[in-house]
Amino acid sequence: MRRRLAPALRCLLGLTLALTGGPAARAVPRPSLAAPQGSTQPVTPPPTPPSLPAMSPAARAELLDRINRERAVLGARPLALSTELDRVAQARAAETARRGAIPGPGDSNEIYRIERQIVAAGYRAQGWTESLTATAGDAGAVIAYWKQGDSFAAAMSRDYQDVGIGVASLQGVPLYEFLFAWPQREVFARQVAGLSDLGRVRTEMLEQVNAVRRARGLAPVAPDARLDAAAQRHAADMLARAYYDHLSPEGTAPRDRAAAEGFGADLIAENIAEGQFTVAEAMDGWMKSAGHRANILSPRVTALGAGLAVGRFEDRLRVLWVQELARPGF
């Protein structure tokens, strides 16, 4: 976290703070905190604090326009106002006003508390940054002062797409909360773009399985539409009902699913995986696991089926893989 307080002669005009959260290798963002700079004391209130009216839609639009002008200069795409982020930003501005001071870095759990607030508001953020600025003046003056702080550069990142704006009165000085974010869905869409053609994914899976089998002198396996259907049914069911197991909640096993599709298995082995964005990544994970590798390299299996489900699972966007390796009964 970076914190900047105004110089002593300008302590009544403004101060800024930034907290930033971002992705960490396909995990919930875990940003680090840096030591603050300057005093952590609240600003001294003026003798007769001015009242601060609620922000009008026109004032909010003016602030957004000013921010987007700054982004245009840097070649960054314009931001859109987000009603979800607006709610969080307003709540946080009001909370800061009640405390009577810009928060310090004290508790690292603050990062996760903000993330929970963003999720609770209905916004799924891949990354975000919060910037607080307290200063008097119109939209132009607010942005001009905010630009002097080190939180401005973070907010100008090309990644951000949306912003929420909150306003309150901190010790009689207008306090503006800016909450910038970009949605998880866009990043996820880019990551899974190569998985949109299930037929191509299955062909690639078959090629990679047979490549590792040939390298070890094993006979290739053949694709089987019935096993494809069984694998796909299981992948879709795990996604729909938010579980991750070879057995369904009712106890349905791989052999049962294959039989339901008309494949009577004399032998069947199933591999599942979660989170990989390519066939190569899924195969690499399985080949590094003794049990999964043994299924792929079994000399007894003759047929292959593959399933893939992409969507939301346990409140996160997920990719679920299922591989069925089997030999029909006689």
Side-chain angles (χ1 to χ4, degrees), residues 230-245:
Q232 188 61 34
R233 179 191 295 269
H234 189 45
D237 189 50
M238 287 193 293
L239 181 65
R241 296 200 285 169
Y243 71 95
Y244 182 69
D245 203 319

Side-chain angles (χ1 to χ4, degrees), residues 157-176:
S157 168
R158 294 172 183 268
D159 289 323
Y160 296 124
Q161 295 185 33
D162 303 306
V163 63
I165 304 173
V167 64
S169 179
L170 178 63
Q171 303 276 342
V173 178
L175 170 72
Y176 296 90

Side-chain angles (χ1 to χ4, degrees), residues 24-309:
R26 299 185 195 162
V28 175
R30 294 184 180 272
S32 60
L33 296 176
Q37 297 176 357
S39 170
T40 60
Q41 297 302 311
V43 295
T44 303
T48 54
S51 60
L52 180 67
M55 185 182 296
S56 68
R60 193 181 300 273
E62 175 65 15
L63 279 170
L64 175 65
D65 180 65
R66 294 278 184 168
I67 292 170
N68 281 336
R69 289 188 208 175
E70 299 294 340
R71 291 178 63 83
V73 170
L74 299 173
R77 59 184 162 188
L79 302 171
L81 280 174
S82 162
T83 55
E84 296 87 356
L85 296 179
D86 272 348
R87 288 199 297 271
V88 179
Q90 186 57 50
R92 292 194 59 76
E95 180 182 351
T96 299
R98 286 193 299 270
R99 279 198 299 257
I102 292 285
D107 185 357
S108 62
N109 287 329
E110 182 72 1
I111 293 289
Y112 303 106
R113 193 164 73 88
I114 298 171
E115 288 175 356
R116 289 193 293 270
Q117 290 173 333
I118 292 171
V119 171
Y123 190 100
R124 310 290 176 178
Q126 178 72 14
W128 56 269
T129 190
E130 175 190 66
S131 181
L132 285 157
T133 283
T135 191
D138 61 12
V142 171
I143 301 303
Y145 181 80
W146 175 48
K147 285 178 65 176
Q148 298 177 48
D150 58 3
S151 69
F152 174 79
M156 293 298 107
S157 168
R158 294 172 183 268
D159 289 323
Y160 296 124
Q161 295 185 33
D162 303 306
V163 63
I165 304 173
V167 64
S169 179
L170 178 63
Q171 303 276 342
V173 178
L175 170 72
Y176 296 90
E177 157 94 20
F178 301 116
L179 185 58
F180 302 88
W182 80 93
Q184 187 186 71
R185 64 180 179 272
E186 180 185 276
V187 176
F188 188 74
R190 291 199 301 266
Q191 291 172 322
V192 301
L195 303 179
S196 59
D197 186 340
L198 182 56
R200 188 186 63 78
V201 169
R202 284 174 171 155
T203 297
E204 187 176 349
M205 180 75 74
L206 179 68
E207 291 172 350
Q208 294 202 24
V209 167
N210 282 334
V212 297
R213 288 176 66 87
R214 280 195 304 271
R216 291 160 176 81
L218 297 170
V221 292
D224 191 289
R226 296 164 298 176
L227 291 179
D228 281 341
Q232 188 61 34
R233 179 191 295 269
H234 189 45
D237 189 50
M238 287 193 293
L239 181 65
R241 296 200 285 169
Y243 71 95
Y244 182 69
D245 203 319
H246 295 288
L247 297 179
S248 74
E250 297 79 22
T252 304
R255 189 182 299 273
D256 302 318
R257 291 188 288 272
E261 299 297 336
F263 188 101
D266 176 56
L267 170 70
I268 188 165
E270 179 178 86
N271 289 337
I272 61 176
E274 186 276 322
Q276 296 79 10
F277 294 113
T278 66
V279 172
E281 288 179 358
M283 282 292 293
D284 183 64
W286 284 329
M287 290 300 291
K288 288 177 178 176
S289 164
H292 297 90
R293 183 173 63 249
N295 289 341
I296 293 171
L297 299 179
S298 170
R300 301 170 62 194
V301 299
T302 60
L304 173 70
L308 173 68

